Amino acid sequence: MRRFAAVIALLSVSAGCLAADTENFNHVKIRRHRSANDRVLVDKVGVLTFDDGNHKLSYKSIVDDRFQVQDKFEAAYNDVTKIVFEVTTHMRGGGWAQLISAASLPGAMIGPVISGQHVNDYWLYLEYKNGGQTEQVLLEVPKDSSARVIDKTTSLFGSRVTMSEFQEQGEPIDRRTLADFESKHSLKINKSERPLPEAEPDKATIVVVCPPLAARDSGKGNQFKLHADGHVIAVNKEGTYSIAYLDPGQHQLVSQSENANGFETELKAGKTYYFLQNTFQGAFRWQTALSRNSPELVTYLMSGTYYSDWKRK
């Protein structure tokens, strides 16, 4: 009887240790292509799991009651090659809400310096080896657990974790001060061609993506103009991207829709810069906030959009 009790106690301790080796984070969103033939990105909600006992990171979305489709991935800790965290810029509380700019300092280590800054949702961009290829995943971690997820990944992956951070933060601008604020443009969504940015030695390359609020909004709604020093250099709709080239130097970049939002920035020749025209629900049309973001985030979101073929009328 004593031996049986000892075995039960040992099993209980072992079960407790195994449970302690696993940490789950709920309400994490994954953003993936709708299908192999449909590049539009859709969101699913699920659980992000760190399994220290088996040295694996995994994700499983909640099963869709209609289609019984579950989105998931699994990666050994040693196969994780890169993690990038970035503050989300999105609508909060169901209205034209607080704007949180994203940022990037490629190669910057996450550490104790940001321990008190986890107050908003975070993008979590992840790369891992899967056989002979590299897989990319984009997750959105809610603010309630972002601090713990960042601390966990930092402790596990060290220098493989970076935090994107820029000085540029979009501010409201009177759109009437823009020389082209009343300009008209035609826009066709090009689904057959997908040009990629090419750095030019004497120009600064601009990549700007306009992610939709929801997959169903792709290609719909009003236009979002990007101005450089008051003149339009790119036009998007939700779910499209554009590429532009500017002379190096100081520029005012402004995204215009029902409102206008932008900042001053220094651009250098031969470099590529990545921006998002973030979308928000306005009174009559979608509103916008411009943010500079990491190449990883913008490139991933660009993969779920179509090229904007626009012309001035």
Side-chain angles (χ1 to χ4, degrees):
M1 190 69 180
R2 291 179 180 177
R3 182 178 300 176
F4 178 75
V7 170
I8 294 298
L10 181 60
L11 290 174
S12 299
V13 172
S14 299
C17 292
L18 288 173
D21 284 340
T22 302
E23 191 167 4
N24 295 318
F25 295 93
N26 299 316
H27 310 299
V28 175
K29 291 182 180 179
I30 191 169
R31 183 162 291 193
R32 285 279 186 91
H33 295 289
R34 180 176 283 157
S35 68
N37 299 319
D38 189 345
R39 72 167 62 253
V40 173
L41 295 170
V42 294
D43 290 336
K44 294 181 181 179
V45 179
V47 180
L48 177 65
T49 299
F50 294 86
D51 185 351
D52 293 343
N54 293 304
H55 303 281
K56 290 183 178 181
L57 173 67
S58 64
Y59 177 90
K60 290 184 179 180
S61 66
I62 299 171
V63 176
D64 192 303
D65 292 335
R66 294 171 299 170
F67 304 107
Q68 295 295 306
V69 175
Q70 186 175 55
D71 207 334
K72 59 184 178 180
F73 74 88
E74 181 177 274
Y77 286 168
N78 287 338
D79 288 337
V80 174
T81 58
K82 179 188 288 189
I83 291 177
V84 179
F85 284 100
E86 191 151 355
V87 181
T88 60
T89 303
H90 62 99
M91 190 165 63
R92 307 181 66 80
W96 172 235
Q98 180 183 7
L99 306 183
I100 308 299
S101 290
S104 178
L105 283 175
M109 280 287 296
I110 289 185
V113 293
I114 65 166
S115 60
Q117 300 177 12
H118 316 316
V119 294
N120 297 285
D121 299 347
Y122 271 81
W123 293 115
L124 192 169
Y125 171 85
L126 171 72
E127 291 184 2
Y128 65 94
K129 293 182 292 185
N130 183 12
Q133 61 184 12
T134 299
E135 302 285 350
Q136 295 90 28
V137 177
L138 184 62
L139 305 172
E140 187 175 358
V141 181
K143 64 177 182 179
D144 294 341
S145 55
S146 61
R148 289 187 294 135
V149 172
I150 291 174
D151 290 342
K152 181 68 176 180
T153 55
T154 303
S155 66
L156 287 173
F157 305 114
S159 61
R160 287 174 280 175
V161 180
T162 63
M163 178 74 181
S164 3
E165 209 166 44
F166 285 117
Q167 296 301 317
E168 297 96 331
Q169 295 188 9
E171 297 180 350
I173 291 175
D174 185 349
R175 64 178 186 170
R176 294 171 296 180
T177 63
L178 304 171
D180 282 351
F181 91 95
E182 289 186 324
S183 61
K184 305 296 182 181
H185 307 85
S186 61
L187 188 156
K188 294 181 180 180
I189 298 175
N190 189 337
K191 295 185 178 182
S192 60
E193 297 177 329
R194 186 167 179 76
L196 297 176
E198 296 182 2
E200 295 188 0
D202 59 340
K203 297 285 186 179
T205 304
I206 304 297
V207 179
V208 56
V209 175
C210 186
L213 281 178
R216 64 179 177 272
D217 297 323
S218 292
K220 300 178 181 178
N222 52 269
Q223 295 180 357
F224 295 80
K225 296 186 285 189
L226 180 66
H227 301 255
D229 308 315
H231 299 286
V232 173
I233 62 169
V235 182
N236 281 317
K237 280 194 171 185
E238 289 189 78
T240 72
Y241 75 98
S242 297
I243 301 171
Y245 298 90
L246 290 173
D247 291 329
Q250 190 76 15
H251 294 279
Q252 182 196 49
L253 297 181
V254 178
S255 181
Q256 180 204 341
S257 178
E258 182 180 35
N259 66 315
N261 182 280
F263 43 72
E264 296 277 341
T265 187
E266 179 77 20
L267 303 178
K268 296 181 179 180
K271 291 193 63 176
T272 301
Y273 298 84
Y274 296 84
F275 302 93
L276 293 178
Q277 291 178 298
N278 301 283
T279 53
F280 300 82
Q281 187 173 0
F284 303 103
R285 306 170 69 199
W286 296 116
Q287 296 197 5
T288 183
L290 185 66
S291 63
R292 182 180 171 188
N293 298 82
S294 67
E296 292 87 355
L297 175 63
V298 175
T299 300
Y300 189 96
L301 293 176
M302 186 176 74
S303 73
T305 60
Y306 295 101
Y307 184 64
S308 172
D309 186 3
W310 66 277
K311 295 179 180 178
R312 190 178 184 118
K313 290 183 177 179

